[in-house]
Amino acid sequence: MGIEDRSRFDPMPMDGTQNMKLYVTYGSPYARLARIIVIEKALEDRVEVIQAKTRIPGSPYYQINPSGRVPYLVDEAGVGMEDSQLICAYLDGLDGKPRFHDAARASDWACLRLEFAARSMCDGIAVWGREMVRPENERSPTTLAHEAARTQRMADFFEDRVADPLLQGSPGMAHLMLAVAVEMASKRGLGDLTAGRPRLAGWMRSMSDLPSMRKTAPP
Ligand SMILES: N[C@@H](CCC(=O)N[C@@H](CS)C(=O)NCC(=O)O)C(=O)O
């Protein structure tokens, strides 16, 4: 649903609070993380997912989030917040039982190092994707080559790490970030990062099978 249509779909809970609103684009890997947490935490009834129009001059979305980025969450009190890290932690903690940011993981530097390495990989893939949507004569071959090489190095890094117990077992933010990054690389045309990387391939098969990953697969 576009932001211009949303007033028709704004159910107001009886207690005077409003449903949360999560602004996304369906191709954004960062917005996808927030959408995954909404599903994993069974928050679909409390969070309305709204498609924002990003990267266009004068978008009405800039009245909601002046940075123009997604994801952006407006909470039940009407307070807005941006960035997938913050939004995921907020949504995960609403029931007081965070599963993706539990206290053990939040203070575990090894977990956080993996999550942020995956985030760094995703940032590079996003830059590559952004470059590729420009008209061909505006694309920078230097940037494309730089980001493509970074992506391959990071895929090698994770081929060596996915067997680590930290990336096995129930998913945390590092798992989600890495899985979303690998799927985005393939979707955006950077290739199948699991090809020739058997450990990453096996790991991705189980991640891509999660219902929340399937339901949020990019168009
Ligand atoms: N660090 C941010 C990154 C968010 C981000 O870069 N979002 C992109 C989509 S992938 C965006 O909204 N771009 C629109 C723009 O730059 O105007 C996060 O984790 O949420």
Side-chain angles (χ1 to χ4, degrees):
M1 180 189 338
I3 57 175
E4 63 284 359
D5 313 321
R6 76 177 199 280
S7 54
R8 289 184 291 122
F9 294 87
D10 263 353
M12 176 74 85
M14 298 302 284
D15 64 2
T17 60
Q18 51 181 349
N19 276 345
M20 288 177 276
K21 295 179 178 65
L22 177 64
Y23 293 89
V24 305
T25 58
Y26 290 100
S28 163
Y30 306 101
R32 186 178 180 193
L33 287 178
R35 289 163 57 221
I36 289 171
I37 300 294
V38 167
I39 294 167
E40 289 285 344
K41 299 301 300 252
L43 288 167
E44 289 106 319
D45 290 346
R46 288 175 65 187
V47 180
E48 183 189 359
V49 177
I50 300 166
Q51 185 171 7
K53 289 194 166 77
T54 59
R55 294 184 170 272
I56 51 166
S59 170
Y61 178 54
Y62 303 153
Q63 304 296 316
I64 295 159
N65 178 15
S67 89
R69 290 205 172 94
V70 289
Y72 187 73
L73 181 77
V74 179
D75 74 7
E76 282 161 340
V79 178
M81 62 189 91
E82 79 166 300
D83 203 283
S84 57
Q85 254 178 278
L86 176 61
I87 293 170
C88 290
Y90 179 84
L91 293 173
D92 191 20
L94 279 175
D95 59 2
K97 292 177 241 158
R99 265 199 292 132
F100 298 87
H101 304 78
D102 66 49
R105 272 181 173 147
S107 58
D108 185 337
W109 294 110
C111 272
L112 291 170
R113 277 197 290 270
L114 289 170
E115 175 185 339
F116 282 79
R119 198 167 267 279
S120 171
M121 177 180 181
C122 192
D123 289 347
I125 296 166
V127 169
W128 194 90
R130 234 168 267 151
E131 202 63 27
M132 287 300 282
V133 295
R134 291 170 189 268
E136 211 169 330
N137 63 343
E138 289 181 20
R139 291 178 201 156
S140 159
T142 310
T143 300
L144 288 172
H146 180 67
E147 296 305 345
R150 189 204 314 275
T151 301
Q152 294 300 324
R153 289 195 307 273
M154 293 308 288
D156 288 342
F157 172 88
F158 280 111
E159 171 69 358
D160 289 342
R161 298 292 189 295
V162 282
D164 187 315
L166 293 171
L167 281 172
Q168 300 290 322
S170 64
M173 287 310 294
H175 298 61
L176 298 181
M177 190 73 249
L178 176 58
V180 162
V182 170
E183 285 195 0
M184 185 175 66
S186 145
K187 194 77 202 172
R188 296 278 163 92
L190 253 175
D192 177 3
L193 300 181
T194 68
R197 296 187 179 100
R199 291 186 291 271
L200 187 59
W203 185 87
M204 273 307 291
R205 270 193 292 279
S206 57
M207 285 304 295
S208 296
D209 261 0
L210 290 177
S212 57
M213 286 286 291
R214 285 171 179 253
K215 282 188 197 157
T216 58

Short mmCIF file of all heavy atoms in Angstrom, two decimals, residues 24-25 27-31 33 53-56 61-62 65 67-72 82-87 119 122-123 126 130 177 184 188, ligand 1:
data_model
loop_
_atom_site.label_atom_id
_atom_site.label_comp_id
_atom_site.label_asym_id
_atom_site.label_seq_id
_atom_site.Cartn_x
_atom_site.Cartn_y
_atom_site.Cartn_z
N VAL A 24 8.53 0.99 4.45
CA VAL A 24 9.50 0.10 3.79
C VAL A 24 9.51 0.36 2.29
O VAL A 24 8.60 1.01 1.75
CB VAL A 24 9.11 -1.40 3.98
CG1 VAL A 24 8.95 -1.75 5.45
CG2 VAL A 24 7.83 -1.76 3.21
N THR A 25 10.53 -0.17 1.63
CA THR A 25 10.38 -0.51 0.21
C THR A 25 10.63 -2.01 0.16
O THR A 25 11.38 -2.55 1.00
CB THR A 25 11.38 0.24 -0.71
OG1 THR A 25 12.71 -0.06 -0.28
CG2 THR A 25 11.15 1.74 -0.67
N GLY A 27 12.23 -3.79 -1.90
CA GLY A 27 13.55 -4.22 -2.35
C GLY A 27 14.64 -3.94 -1.32
O GLY A 27 15.78 -4.38 -1.49
N SER A 28 14.32 -3.21 -0.26
CA SER A 28 15.37 -2.82 0.70
C SER A 28 15.72 -3.97 1.65
O SER A 28 14.85 -4.47 2.37
CB SER A 28 14.91 -1.61 1.52
OG SER A 28 15.73 -1.48 2.68
N PRO A 29 17.00 -4.35 1.70
CA PRO A 29 17.38 -5.42 2.62
C PRO A 29 17.22 -5.01 4.08
O PRO A 29 16.91 -5.84 4.94
CB PRO A 29 18.86 -5.67 2.29
CG PRO A 29 19.34 -4.40 1.66
CD PRO A 29 18.15 -3.81 0.95
N TYR A 30 17.42 -3.72 4.36
CA TYR A 30 17.31 -3.25 5.74
C TYR A 30 15.85 -3.26 6.19
O TYR A 30 15.52 -3.66 7.30
CB TYR A 30 17.94 -1.86 5.88
CG TYR A 30 19.34 -1.84 5.36
CD1 TYR A 30 19.64 -1.33 4.09
CD2 TYR A 30 20.37 -2.41 6.10
CE1 TYR A 30 20.92 -1.35 3.59
CE2 TYR A 30 21.66 -2.44 5.61
CZ TYR A 30 21.94 -1.91 4.35
OH TYR A 30 23.21 -1.95 3.86
N ALA A 31 14.97 -2.82 5.28
CA ALA A 31 13.54 -2.88 5.60
C ALA A 31 13.09 -4.33 5.73
O ALA A 31 12.23 -4.67 6.55
CB ALA A 31 12.74 -2.17 4.51
N LEU A 33 14.76 -6.76 7.02
CA LEU A 33 15.08 -7.23 8.38
C LEU A 33 13.94 -6.88 9.34
O LEU A 33 13.52 -7.70 10.14
CB LEU A 33 16.35 -6.56 8.89
CG LEU A 33 17.67 -7.01 8.30
CD1 LEU A 33 18.80 -6.18 8.91
CD2 LEU A 33 17.91 -8.48 8.55
N LYS A 53 7.64 5.97 -0.89
CA LYS A 53 8.26 6.34 -2.17
C LYS A 53 9.58 7.03 -1.86
O LYS A 53 9.61 8.16 -1.39
CB LYS A 53 7.35 7.27 -2.95
CG LYS A 53 6.10 6.57 -3.49
CD LYS A 53 5.41 7.44 -4.55
CE LYS A 53 4.40 6.66 -5.34
NZ LYS A 53 3.16 6.44 -4.61
N THR A 54 10.67 6.30 -2.08
CA THR A 54 11.99 6.85 -1.76
C THR A 54 12.67 7.34 -3.03
O THR A 54 12.28 6.96 -4.14
CB THR A 54 12.89 5.78 -1.09
OG1 THR A 54 13.02 4.67 -1.98
CG2 THR A 54 12.32 5.31 0.22
N ARG A 55 13.69 8.18 -2.84
CA ARG A 55 14.55 8.62 -3.94
C ARG A 55 13.81 9.34 -5.06
O ARG A 55 14.16 9.20 -6.22
CB ARG A 55 15.31 7.42 -4.54
CG ARG A 55 16.28 6.81 -3.58
CD ARG A 55 17.09 5.70 -4.19
NE ARG A 55 18.15 5.34 -3.28
CZ ARG A 55 19.36 5.93 -3.25
NH1 ARG A 55 19.67 6.86 -4.10
NH2 ARG A 55 20.25 5.58 -2.36
N ILE A 56 12.73 10.05 -4.71
CA ILE A 56 12.12 10.90 -5.73
C ILE A 56 11.94 12.31 -5.16
O ILE A 56 11.61 12.46 -3.98
CB ILE A 56 10.75 10.35 -6.25
CG1 ILE A 56 9.81 10.03 -5.10
CG2 ILE A 56 10.93 9.15 -7.16
CD1 ILE A 56 8.38 9.83 -5.56
N TYR A 61 6.69 11.10 1.44
CA TYR A 61 7.33 10.36 2.54
C TYR A 61 8.29 11.25 3.34
O TYR A 61 8.50 11.02 4.52
CB TYR A 61 8.06 9.15 1.95
CG TYR A 61 8.82 8.32 2.96
CD1 TYR A 61 8.19 7.82 4.10
CD2 TYR A 61 10.17 8.03 2.78
CE1 TYR A 61 8.89 7.05 5.03
CE2 TYR A 61 10.88 7.27 3.70
CZ TYR A 61 10.24 6.78 4.82
OH TYR A 61 10.93 6.02 5.73
N TYR A 62 8.85 12.29 2.71
CA TYR A 62 9.80 13.15 3.42
C TYR A 62 9.12 13.93 4.55
O TYR A 62 9.79 14.42 5.45
CB TYR A 62 10.52 14.11 2.45
CG TYR A 62 11.25 13.41 1.32
CD1 TYR A 62 11.47 14.05 0.10
CD2 TYR A 62 11.71 12.10 1.46
CE1 TYR A 62 12.13 13.41 -0.95
CE2 TYR A 62 12.36 11.45 0.42
CZ TYR A 62 12.57 12.11 -0.77
OH TYR A 62 13.21 11.47 -1.81
N ASN A 65 9.42 10.94 7.27
CA ASN A 65 10.82 10.74 7.66
C ASN A 65 11.70 11.62 6.80
O ASN A 65 11.95 11.31 5.63
CB ASN A 65 11.21 9.27 7.50
CG ASN A 65 12.68 9.04 7.85
OD1 ASN A 65 13.32 9.90 8.47
ND2 ASN A 65 13.20 7.90 7.46
N SER A 67 14.76 12.02 6.50
CA SER A 67 15.96 11.43 5.88
C SER A 67 15.59 10.73 4.59
O SER A 67 16.43 10.52 3.72
CB SER A 67 16.65 10.45 6.83
OG SER A 67 16.13 9.15 6.68
N GLY A 68 14.33 10.32 4.48
CA GLY A 68 13.86 9.65 3.25
C GLY A 68 14.23 8.18 3.19
O GLY A 68 13.92 7.50 2.22
N ARG A 69 14.91 7.68 4.25
CA ARG A 69 15.34 6.27 4.20
C ARG A 69 14.28 5.35 4.81
O ARG A 69 13.47 5.77 5.63
CB ARG A 69 16.64 6.09 4.99
CG ARG A 69 17.84 6.74 4.31
CD ARG A 69 19.12 6.04 4.74
NE ARG A 69 20.24 6.54 3.95
CZ ARG A 69 21.03 7.53 4.32
NH1 ARG A 69 20.85 8.12 5.48
NH2 ARG A 69 22.00 7.93 3.53
N VAL A 70 14.36 4.11 4.40
CA VAL A 70 13.59 3.03 5.02
C VAL A 70 14.58 2.02 5.59
O VAL A 70 15.69 1.92 5.06
CB VAL A 70 12.64 2.35 4.00
CG1 VAL A 70 11.50 3.24 3.62
CG2 VAL A 70 13.40 1.84 2.77
N PRO A 71 14.22 1.28 6.64
CA PRO A 71 12.93 1.28 7.31
C PRO A 71 12.78 2.47 8.27
O PRO A 71 13.77 3.02 8.75
CB PRO A 71 12.97 -0.03 8.09
CG PRO A 71 14.41 -0.23 8.43
CD PRO A 71 15.16 0.29 7.23
N TYR A 72 11.51 2.78 8.54
CA TYR A 72 11.17 3.82 9.51
C TYR A 72 9.94 3.32 10.24
O TYR A 72 8.97 2.88 9.61
CB TYR A 72 10.88 5.13 8.78
CG TYR A 72 10.68 6.32 9.69
CD1 TYR A 72 11.75 6.91 10.34
CD2 TYR A 72 9.41 6.86 9.87
CE1 TYR A 72 11.58 8.01 11.17
CE2 TYR A 72 9.23 7.97 10.70
CZ TYR A 72 10.32 8.54 11.34
OH TYR A 72 10.15 9.64 12.15
N GLU A 82 14.32 5.62 12.98
CA GLU A 82 14.86 4.99 11.76
C GLU A 82 16.06 4.12 12.06
O GLU A 82 16.61 4.15 13.15
CB GLU A 82 15.18 6.03 10.69
CG GLU A 82 16.45 6.77 10.84
CD GLU A 82 16.79 7.51 9.53
OE1 GLU A 82 16.96 6.87 8.49
OE2 GLU A 82 16.88 8.75 9.59
N ASP A 83 16.40 3.31 11.09
CA ASP A 83 17.54 2.38 11.08
C ASP A 83 17.10 0.98 11.52
O ASP A 83 16.47 0.80 12.57
CB ASP A 83 18.71 2.84 11.95
CG ASP A 83 20.00 2.19 11.45
OD1 ASP A 83 20.19 0.99 11.75
OD2 ASP A 83 20.78 2.83 10.74
N SER A 84 17.48 0.01 10.71
CA SER A 84 17.05 -1.37 10.96
C SER A 84 17.54 -1.91 12.30
O SER A 84 16.83 -2.66 12.97
CB SER A 84 17.54 -2.29 9.83
OG SER A 84 18.94 -2.21 9.69
N GLN A 85 18.74 -1.49 12.71
CA GLN A 85 19.26 -1.98 13.98
C GLN A 85 18.36 -1.60 15.13
O GLN A 85 17.98 -2.41 15.96
CB GLN A 85 20.60 -1.30 14.25
CG GLN A 85 21.80 -2.15 14.07
CD GLN A 85 23.01 -1.27 14.32
OE1 GLN A 85 23.46 -0.54 13.44
NE2 GLN A 85 23.51 -1.33 15.53
N LEU A 86 18.02 -0.30 15.16
CA LEU A 86 17.19 0.23 16.24
C LEU A 86 15.77 -0.36 16.16
O LEU A 86 15.21 -0.80 17.17
CB LEU A 86 17.15 1.76 16.10
CG LEU A 86 16.26 2.51 17.06
CD1 LEU A 86 16.72 2.28 18.50
CD2 LEU A 86 16.30 4.01 16.75
N ILE A 87 15.22 -0.38 14.96
CA ILE A 87 13.84 -0.83 14.79
C ILE A 87 13.71 -2.32 15.15
O ILE A 87 12.77 -2.73 15.85
CB ILE A 87 13.35 -0.55 13.35
CG1 ILE A 87 13.26 0.96 13.14
CG2 ILE A 87 12.02 -1.23 13.07
CD1 ILE A 87 13.02 1.38 11.69
N ARG A 119 26.59 -6.90 8.00
CA ARG A 119 26.01 -5.58 7.68
C ARG A 119 26.93 -4.84 6.70
O ARG A 119 26.46 -4.20 5.74
CB ARG A 119 25.85 -4.79 8.98
CG ARG A 119 24.91 -3.63 8.90
CD ARG A 119 24.59 -3.12 10.30
NE ARG A 119 23.39 -3.73 10.85
CZ ARG A 119 22.14 -3.34 10.55
NH1 ARG A 119 21.94 -2.34 9.72
NH2 ARG A 119 21.11 -3.93 11.09
N CYS A 122 26.45 -6.27 3.35
CA CYS A 122 25.17 -5.81 2.79
C CYS A 122 25.27 -4.37 2.29
O CYS A 122 24.75 -4.02 1.23
CB CYS A 122 24.08 -5.95 3.85
SG CYS A 122 22.43 -5.76 3.20
N ASP A 123 25.98 -3.53 3.05
CA ASP A 123 26.15 -2.13 2.63
C ASP A 123 26.80 -2.06 1.25
O ASP A 123 26.40 -1.27 0.39
CB ASP A 123 27.03 -1.37 3.63
CG ASP A 123 26.34 -1.10 4.97
OD1 ASP A 123 25.12 -1.28 5.06
OD2 ASP A 123 27.04 -0.72 5.94
N ALA A 126 24.43 -3.09 -1.43
CA ALA A 126 23.45 -2.01 -1.67
C ALA A 126 24.06 -0.91 -2.55
O ALA A 126 23.40 -0.39 -3.45
CB ALA A 126 22.97 -1.44 -0.34
N ARG A 130 22.61 0.18 -6.16
CA ARG A 130 22.25 1.59 -6.42
C ARG A 130 22.95 2.09 -7.69
O ARG A 130 22.37 2.82 -8.48
CB ARG A 130 22.70 2.43 -5.23
CG ARG A 130 21.61 3.28 -4.63
CD ARG A 130 22.05 3.84 -3.31
NE ARG A 130 21.65 2.99 -2.20
CZ ARG A 130 22.31 2.89 -1.05
NH1 ARG A 130 23.42 3.56 -0.85
NH2 ARG A 130 21.85 2.12 -0.11
N MET A 177 20.95 -10.97 8.95
CA MET A 177 21.67 -9.99 8.12
C MET A 177 22.43 -10.69 7.00
O MET A 177 22.39 -10.26 5.83
CB MET A 177 22.64 -9.23 9.04
CG MET A 177 23.30 -8.03 8.42
SD MET A 177 22.19 -6.64 8.22
CE MET A 177 22.01 -6.58 6.46
N MET A 184 20.12 -10.84 -1.47
CA MET A 184 20.06 -9.58 -2.24
C MET A 184 21.11 -9.56 -3.35
O MET A 184 20.85 -9.08 -4.45
CB MET A 184 20.24 -8.38 -1.34
CG MET A 184 20.04 -7.11 -2.17
SD MET A 184 20.07 -5.58 -1.28
CE MET A 184 21.73 -5.53 -0.72
N ARG A 188 20.05 -8.78 -7.09
CA ARG A 188 20.51 -7.57 -7.78
C ARG A 188 21.46 -7.85 -8.93
O ARG A 188 21.95 -6.95 -9.58
CB ARG A 188 21.23 -6.65 -6.78
CG ARG A 188 20.35 -6.11 -5.68
CD ARG A 188 19.55 -4.89 -6.14
NE ARG A 188 18.45 -4.63 -5.24
CZ ARG A 188 18.49 -3.82 -4.19
NH1 ARG A 188 19.58 -3.16 -3.91
NH2 ARG A 188 17.42 -3.64 -3.45
N1 LIG B 1 21.71 1.90 8.02
C1 LIG B 1 20.36 1.95 7.53
C2 LIG B 1 20.39 1.88 6.01
C3 LIG B 1 19.03 2.19 5.41
C4 LIG B 1 19.12 2.42 3.92
O1 LIG B 1 20.19 2.66 3.34
N2 LIG B 1 17.96 2.34 3.23
C5 LIG B 1 17.91 2.59 1.80
C6 LIG B 1 17.19 1.44 1.10
S1 LIG B 1 18.17 -0.02 1.09
C7 LIG B 1 17.07 3.83 1.53
O2 LIG B 1 16.11 4.06 2.21
N3 LIG B 1 17.43 4.63 0.51
C8 LIG B 1 16.66 5.77 0.14
C9 LIG B 1 17.47 7.03 0.10
O3 LIG B 1 18.70 6.95 0.33
O4 LIG B 1 16.91 8.09 -0.12
C10 LIG B 1 19.54 0.82 8.14
O5 LIG B 1 20.14 -0.18 8.60
O6 LIG B 1 18.31 0.93 8.21
#
